[in-house]
Amino acid sequence: LNMIQNYSVDQPDLKKRFEIRGFPTFYYIQDGKMYSYKGGRTVDAWSQFVETGYQSAEAKPIPPAVKKDTDL
């Protein structure tokens, strides 16, 4: 299981891409789909979600990267 931490104030493109409106925001990404985690902030709760709990959560497609003017 790989995890990343992002302070989206420093990266507004990621904040926009993933519609981050509050902190902390957790997403689990599996098989090209994104699952929003709204459970407890414990290792056990998170572990249960990534093992099987995500299967009952709504799956959303991973949003495409936001194009910057420099990408043109």
Side-chain angles (χ1 to χ4, degrees):
L1 175 66
N2 294 318
M3 295 185 77
I4 63 165
Q5 177 180 346
N6 173 265
Y7 188 59
S8 65
V9 171
D10 296 333
Q11 297 196 11
D13 290 342
L14 285 179
K15 182 178 179 182
K16 182 177 179 180
R17 177 181 181 191
F18 290 98
E19 299 179 358
I20 297 171
R21 296 184 183 97
F23 301 100
T25 299
F26 292 99
Y27 291 117
Y28 177 60
I29 296 174
Q30 177 72 21
D31 296 328
K33 296 186 174 82
M34 183 173 79
Y35 302 87
S36 181
Y37 177 70
K38 308 232 185 261
R41 304 296 194 237
T42 66
V43 172
D44 288 338
W46 177 250
S47 295
Q48 188 280 326
F49 184 77
V50 300
E51 289 171 8
T52 58
Y54 75 93
Q55 296 168 348
S56 62
E58 179 184 1
K60 293 184 177 181
I62 298 170
V66 177
K67 287 216 173 252
K68 296 180 181 182
D69 291 336
T70 57
D71 292 341
L72 299 176

